[in-house]
Amino acid sequence: RAKSAGGNRYELADPEADARAITRHGLTTALPAALDRGEFFIEYQPLVRLGDGSVRGAEALVRWLHPQHGVLGPDRFIPLAEHTGLIVPLGRWVLEESVRQARVWQERHADAGPMRINVNLSPMQLAHPGLVADTVEILERCGLSPSALCLEVTESALIGADDDLLKPLRRLSEMGVDIALDDFGTGYSNLANLRRLPVNVLKLDRSFTQGMQQFPADPVDLKIVEGIVSLAHGLDLSVTVEGVETGAQAEQLRVLGCDTAQGWYYARPGPPDRLHELALADATG
Ligand code: C2E
Ligand code: MG
Ligand code: MG
Ligand code: MG
């Protein structure tokens, strides 16, 4: 099939691009009903304190159990939900479900110390006027302290953010909610800009930890991470590292002074009961 593109020029339609477009379109139109039918679920990936290896909480990662396509990861549908605005109710559902789950962990593991929950926020949720009220309402209804919640916002969402966009984050931060800058290092933010942002956790992107899979690590990667950690600590930010896949990485990141780690070396994202087991193993020895 050839599409005329005006004049005597033409393009051949790319059948693969068509298939992708149909899938995207199909997925996009199926999103609202999927939310109504309860097709989304959350997996939790532990966050581990590097100093002593204890589980301090988990990040909530949403998945879609699609009736035809099976389990879809967030990269397949979050951008579509963001595009149509469905991310607002979907994100609110993720927040409520994760906060409720964190409360269950706290009740079952009072000895293991407070279990914290990290939830991703997309740019449209950040700009939505109901964010602060919804968050407060969910925390109160589920009985979770604001200090047990960390909201993750990507660096790219905050680049160039004006004060209006930062205001809700600032209010949440003043209430005791942690704010993490996710995927740090993948954007091009000015490091000095960090001072302006109501952020108290830096999540170093996986690309930084990749050079540390072997021992000894790439010396340039080590220097970069060392510099970021010292800058972050100088600004009173704690540092979480993503994508830790080996013990060698974990050890080097610990030596470099990173505070918290997350990655397959500890656990893949999984059902909430998996975190019970890990926290319990922790508390009992
Ligand atoms: P993210 O917030 O940076 O989450 C970390 C991603 O890295 C997750 O991918 C996780 O499964 C993956 N990961 C964790 N440890 C390792 C490791 O050791 N090695 C490797 N190779 N990967 C690891 P996932 O679950 O596919 O999520 C992708 C992105 O989707 C997330 O990146 C986040 O930006 C977004 N996302 C997930 N859930 C939500 C949500 O509820 N709301 C919004 N707005 N975004 C979400
Ligand atoms: Mg995240
Ligand atoms: Mg991340
Ligand atoms: Mg990432």
Side-chain angles (χ1 to χ4, degrees):
R1 185 163 62 95
K3 269 193 301 208
S4 132
N8 57 3
R9 294 179 295 123
Y10 67 93
E11 294 167 11
L12 286 176
D14 170 3
E16 272 186 43
D18 275 359
R20 279 197 300 273
I22 289 163
T23 315
R24 277 175 59 93
H25 177 74
L27 290 181
T28 304
T29 51
L31 276 167
L35 186 58
D36 288 341
R37 282 197 294 259
E39 290 173 6
F40 294 100
F41 66 100
I42 301 174
E43 288 193 315
Y44 298 89
Q45 186 176 36
L47 288 154
V48 174
R49 194 176 280 116
L50 272 165
D52 60 6
S54 62
V55 177
R56 61 192 304 276
E59 178 174 8
L61 295 161
V62 69
R63 279 89 179 84
W64 179 3
L65 180 54
H66 189 284
Q68 277 93 48
H69 305 300
V71 175
L72 301 178
D75 293 335
R76 289 292 297 282
F77 61 86
I78 291 286
L80 308 178
E82 172 84 7
H83 191 69
T84 59
L86 195 83
I87 190 66
V88 171
L90 175 60
R92 199 186 295 125
W93 177 82
V94 171
L95 181 65
E96 168 148 15
E97 184 65 19
S98 323
V99 163
R100 198 190 50 71
Q101 184 57 59
R103 178 69 188 146
V104 172
W105 287 326
Q106 292 204 338
E107 279 166 3
R108 293 189 31 192
H109 298 289
D111 330 338
M115 281 290 154
R116 316 187 72 265
I117 185 75
N118 284 35
V119 179
N120 294 285
L121 276 193
S122 69
M124 186 174 280
Q125 288 174 273
L126 203 58
H128 184 75
L131 175 67
V132 175
D134 285 351
T135 307
V136 170
E137 193 265 325
I138 288 170
L139 288 169
E140 279 177 359
R141 187 150 40 80
C142 299
L144 194 79
S145 150
S147 62
L149 174 66
C150 176
L151 295 174
E152 302 193 357
V153 185
T154 60
E155 190 186 2
S156 54
L158 291 186
I159 283 179
D162 60 16
D163 257 13
D164 283 348
L165 205 64
L166 296 178
K167 220 176 269 167
L169 282 186
R170 210 163 268 135
R171 285 205 33 216
L172 290 163
S173 170
E174 283 160 9
M175 283 166 39
V177 173
D178 279 342
I179 311 292
L181 198 55
D182 204 354
D183 297 344
F184 180 78
T186 56
Y188 299 91
S189 63
N190 179 348
L191 290 180
N193 218 355
L194 284 174
R195 302 185 55 174
R196 198 173 72 83
L197 302 175
V199 156
N200 57 336
V201 179
L202 266 199
K203 282 193 89 171
L204 259 194
D205 190 67
R206 187 157 62 86
S207 52
F208 285 102
T209 48
Q210 268 163 354
M212 284 177 211
Q213 296 206 1
Q214 270 83 45
F215 188 87
D218 181 312
V220 176
D221 283 336
L222 284 179
K223 274 286 169 221
I224 292 172
V225 174
E226 194 176 17
I228 293 174
V229 170
S230 92
L231 174 87
H233 285 169
L235 294 170
D236 274 335
L237 303 170
S238 97
V239 178
T240 298
V241 281
E242 304 183 321
V244 177
E245 295 182 358
T246 69
Q249 276 173 305
E251 178 54 16
Q252 306 201 63
L253 291 161
R254 187 188 65 77
V255 169
L256 288 174
C258 298
D259 305 288
T260 307
Q262 179 180 357
W264 295 347
Y265 173 63
Y266 302 101
R268 302 227 173 194
D273 283 353
R274 180 83 184 107
L275 204 83
H276 279 297
E277 291 159 23
L278 292 166
L280 212 59
D282 233 43
T284 56

